[in-house]
Amino acid sequence: MSYFRRDIDELVGYTPGEQPRGGKFIKLNTNENPYPPSPAVARAITAAAERGLARYPDPLGTGFRDRAAAVLGVDPDWILCGNGSDEILTLVTRAFVAQGGLLRLPYPSYVLYKTLAQIQGARSGEVFFRPEWALPDDFAAPADGLRLAFLPNPNSPSGTLIAPARVLEIAEPLPCPLVVDEAYVDFADENCLSLVARNEKILVSRTLSKSYALAGLRFGFLVAQPHLIVGLRKVKDSYNCDALSLAAATAAIDDQAWLTANRAKIVATRTRLTARLRALGFAAVDSQANFVWAPHPGCPVRPLYEQLKKNHILVRYMDYPGWGDGLRISVGTDDQVDACLTLLESMV
Ligand SMILES: Cc1ncc(COP(=O)(O)O)c(C=O)c1O
């Protein structure tokens, strides 16, 4: 006999990218930043630890929200802190999607969204991207029980961006909130932040995991109109962000010079990686993120992934039924990317 809800018993569960514990790997599989974070982060963590951890942290992350608000040009009441942006995605699903309700996602995109719907006892409806990664009008169509839509922008695995004007066009007829998941947006040319004030249905989620090189910290946040933030606070754990991560995140977002310099390095390496993958016959997609999606029309890519792994280079092999497969390669340092490309050159 199982003690679990039936839908939990039936759930396969989300499988995150491999995080090898032993051995030396070049890790280009989970879109982490290859560079150390701003030095202000370690200083802030030390200072917070020295102040002591006996007390509970600020449940609303006021210090972080004040700094982030100044950087982003919004009011602090428009920001909700989360334990990674995955927690933000969980909170919005919990708050907006009733059991049996419908969650809309584009396909292929971030695989976790579907799992969140399943955990909630909800349905998910996938709308296929067009072959050139444009979003069809169907994404905005009303449907029975539709309660929430997720749009990763830039998308994973493609790294492509839907222009803000198009996102607004999609949000307008949608009968439910649209969470624009901007996990990778600091590597992109445009973002949807200004749309939040223009349409209450648009919520923007961000993370410090990628562009601030803090995946190990677990910190993300949501920008939404204040009445929605108030409602979402009711759903979160009181102390969802701990004192050390709040201190670190505040220091990180305060160091915009670090962000600008890091972004420039990643974007330069991304350009090189894309060009060299194309020279090897990959149909590498122009990326606005810190990874490149690389199907290969001329040879199967799974063996390439396996061969790279044997040589201690991890990339992500993704196979999307009904769409196709490819390698998703995170932008590492120039040396890491060169090691990966040199090996691929000997294989294709
Ligand atoms: C599209 C997208 N959204 C959100 C996340 C989650 O980021 P985190 O929970 O580290 O903030 C990821 C992580 O890979 C992602 O690819």
Side-chain angles (χ1 to χ4, degrees):
M1 189 193 111
S2 168
Y3 295 113
F4 287 99
R5 278 167 30 204
R6 200 167 47 162
D7 39 6
I8 299 300
D9 256 338
E10 285 165 4
L11 182 70
V12 178
Y14 176 72
T15 312
E18 296 157 83
Q19 300 291 350
R21 288 291 155 231
K24 260 192 132 205
F25 278 87
I26 293 180
K27 257 194 105 277
L28 304 175
N29 66 332
T30 48
N31 305 336
E32 290 142 329
N33 202 301
Y35 299 104
S38 159
V41 168
R43 289 198 297 270
I45 292 174
T46 307
E50 281 170 4
R51 279 196 300 276
L53 296 172
R55 305 222 162 172
Y56 285 109
D58 174 1
L60 298 182
T62 310
F64 173 81
R65 290 188 303 117
D66 286 348
R67 288 313 308 147
V71 167
L72 301 172
V74 300
D75 195 88
D77 291 350
W78 292 52
I79 298 176
L80 177 80
C81 299
N83 191 263
S85 62
D86 279 349
E87 193 205 14
I88 296 289
L89 306 177
T90 300
L91 289 177
V92 291
T93 306
R94 221 191 269 164
F96 294 132
V97 188
Q99 272 200 358
L102 177 67
L103 200 155
R104 177 162 293 155
L105 359 150
Y107 181 84
S109 75
Y110 189 29
V111 179
L112 179 74
Y113 302 142
K114 194 172 178 165
T115 310
L116 293 177
Q118 289 170 315
I119 294 170
Q120 188 68 8
R123 295 167 290 138
S124 54
E126 288 162 338
V127 174
F128 273 57
F129 276 109
R130 293 200 194 289
E132 73 287 10
W133 298 99
L135 199 58
D137 291 341
D138 293 0
F139 195 80
D144 236 18
L146 180 61
R147 292 291 162 79
L148 179 64
F150 280 129
L151 178 67
N153 204 34
N155 183 45
S156 173
S158 60
T160 48
L161 188 87
I162 304 296
R166 175 68 177 146
V167 173
L168 190 59
E169 197 175 82
I170 288 282
E172 255 146 27
L174 250 186
C176 65
L178 170 65
V179 173
V180 185
D181 176 352
E182 293 197 334
Y184 301 102
V185 87
D186 289 325
F187 306 107
D189 297 333
E190 292 176 283
N191 67 67
C192 289
L193 203 57
S194 67
L195 303 186
V196 178
R198 292 181 63 180
N199 188 325
E200 66 168 3
K201 281 182 281 177
I202 299 178
L203 294 75
V204 165
S205 143
R206 296 264 177 104
T207 179
L208 271 62
S209 296
K210 318 290 181 182
S211 54
Y212 290 89
L214 290 171
L217 188 74
R218 310 308 302 133
F219 199 92
F221 61 94
L222 182 78
V223 182
Q225 294 201 6
H227 63 289
L228 298 176
I229 298 287
V230 168
L232 287 163
R233 278 186 195 150
K234 292 192 280 187
V235 178
K236 78 176 189 71
D237 286 348
S238 305
Y239 308 110
N240 60 329
C241 298
D242 64 83
L244 298 183
S245 75
L246 282 167
T250 309
I253 204 146
D254 225 5
D255 194 349
Q256 289 295 301
W258 181 93
L259 180 72
T260 306
N262 180 268
R263 178 198 140 93
K265 283 190 281 193
I266 298 287
V267 168
T269 308
R270 180 178 77 194
T271 306
R272 286 185 51 232
L273 172 62
T274 310
R276 286 188 59 192
L277 284 169
R278 284 183 187 152
L280 293 176
F282 286 94
V285 177
D286 275 328
S287 172
Q288 292 271 299
N290 67 335
F291 53 85
V292 176
W293 176 239
H296 199 302
C299 68
V301 292
R302 194 184 176 108
L304 303 178
Y305 152 77
E306 279 159 2
Q307 203 52 38
L308 286 170
K309 189 171 169 180
K310 277 197 192 124
N311 287 275
H312 284 212
I313 298 178
L314 285 180
V315 300
R316 194 93 185 247
Y317 168 76
M318 306 290 264
D319 186 9
Y320 296 96
W323 184 275
D325 64 351
L327 300 181
R328 196 194 65 190
I329 306 177
S330 307
V331 178
T333 63
D334 280 325
D335 285 353
Q336 291 172 335
V337 160
D338 284 345
C340 178
L341 287 163
T342 304
L343 213 53
L344 282 173
E345 260 156 23
S346 67
M347 288 187 240
V348 294

